[in-house]
Amino acid sequence: MPLPENDPRLTPEVRAMLDALVSGVRAALEDNLVGVYLRGSLALGDFDPESSDIDFLVVTGRPVSDDQFAALADLHARLAVLENPYAGHLEGSYIDRAALRHFGPHERRHPTVGSDWAFSRGEHGADWVLERWIVRERGVTLLGPDPGTLVGPISPEDLRASVREALRWWASQPDEPAWLRRRSYQAFAVQTMCRALFTLLTGELPSKPRAVAWALGALPQPWRALVGRSRAWHLDDTPDPGTLPEVMRFVRWTAGEGEAAS
């Protein structure tokens, strides 16, 4: 679906960042460009101007060539230093049409960029089943055909299987992973678990706020209280190792629920 011109998500800063992205992608890919789509919070309707990234997907006709990769790397280096609050908050991937339609985890390394990593070729794992569902069902078209013509159907059981695989990765993390020391990252982990539990139960993929609202009414203690506290953490980058063990216990409990439901 297109993003309406008067959509409140399109703040001047977001619009300027998207204009720069699409213009640069057109120049870098030329006739290999098929479409540009918004995914993530901008597509699901829970975009927070203070904390959300701009999540995007670029679809190409053929895999990105070495010359195109170099041009895209230069583009993202330029975008990262723009005087725009979202300059460091673009998160996206460049995937060719054939790989996107019936995506198999770890089939191929695709160009990707994020707020925590530089433009590079990276593996796209089980969570890309979820991302493909977002693009197909809720994706916002900035350029190109309807995303439903590019992404094959994804069933509720496909979503559940992807969530279970992602939870196995979460459960494999150490008891106190260094990357989760900040409260904002702990909030991300807790709310990702809420979304996973909702998807396992319903076969649907909700926005994180919807998943959190559901969890506050459905989960047993002590997890309900932890979810409630996490809502105050998403803008707080304070390191808080004291809460990390409880967060990881919730992660492991959620992973256990996923295995029990398989």
Side-chain angles (χ1 to χ4, degrees):
M1 63 178 179
L3 199 62
E5 288 295 315
N6 60 352
D7 192 297
R9 291 170 290 182
L10 277 181
T11 66
E13 294 83 6
V14 171
R15 187 184 298 276
M17 203 70 221
L18 292 175
D19 287 346
L21 172 68
V22 173
S23 174
V25 166
R26 281 181 184 270
L29 294 175
E30 299 180 332
D31 66 353
N32 196 25
L33 177 60
V34 172
V36 183
Y37 305 91
L38 294 180
R39 55 186 183 85
S41 57
L42 275 168
L44 290 172
D46 60 343
F47 184 77
D48 183 338
E50 294 188 63
S51 63
S52 293
D53 292 327
I54 295 177
D55 298 297
F56 70 91
L57 169 68
V58 173
V59 182
T60 61
R62 307 173 300 281
V64 170
S65 68
D66 289 344
D67 286 347
Q68 290 170 343
F69 182 89
L72 290 169
D74 180 67
L75 166 65
H76 283 287
R78 287 184 279 111
L79 293 177
V81 296
L82 291 178
E83 292 186 4
N84 185 299
Y86 300 103
H89 295 278
L90 282 174
E91 184 166 318
S93 293
Y94 294 78
I95 302 179
D96 61 276
R97 186 199 299 258
L100 181 68
R101 182 155 187 82
H102 298 291
F103 197 85
H106 313 299
E107 277 185 351
R108 188 181 297 165
R109 294 169 65 84
H110 298 278
T112 180
V113 68
S115 56
D116 294 330
W117 65 92
F119 184 77
S120 58
R121 296 186 190 271
E123 285 191 356
H124 290 60
D127 61 325
W128 263 86
V129 174
L130 308 180
E131 297 297 339
R132 286 172 59 248
W133 182 92
I134 293 172
V135 171
R136 176 182 170 86
E137 304 297 335
R138 304 284 183 84
V140 175
T141 302
L142 299 179
L143 181 155
D146 184 322
T149 66
L150 301 174
V151 181
I154 301 167
S155 71
E157 194 46 51
D158 290 336
L159 292 178
R160 290 187 176 100
S162 175
V163 164
R164 291 187 193 103
E165 185 170 343
L167 287 174
R168 292 183 190 111
W169 177 86
W170 278 95
S172 73
Q173 298 298 295
D175 288 340
E176 298 185 18
W179 69 278
L180 277 181
R181 291 174 64 88
R182 287 188 283 173
R183 287 176 180 162
S184 56
Y185 278 48
Q186 292 175 31
F188 168 77
V190 169
Q191 293 173 17
T192 297
M193 295 304 104
C194 293
R195 176 185 276 182
L197 289 164
F198 187 98
T199 300
L200 289 170
L201 179 66
T202 67
E204 300 176 13
L205 186 64
S207 68
K208 283 183 180 173
R210 183 183 171 200
V212 167
W214 166 82
L216 288 171
L219 295 187
Q221 295 290 13
W223 312 131
R224 191 163 67 247
L226 175 64
V227 172
R229 297 201 311 276
S230 78
R231 293 188 298 176
W233 295 346
H234 74 288
L235 293 177
D236 187 349
D237 283 333
T238 304
D240 192 352
T243 60
L244 190 48
E246 184 181 11
V247 170
M248 290 307 299
R249 285 194 295 272
F250 183 44
V251 166
R252 300 194 197 291
W253 179 81
T254 302
E257 294 292 297
E259 293 301 326
S262 61

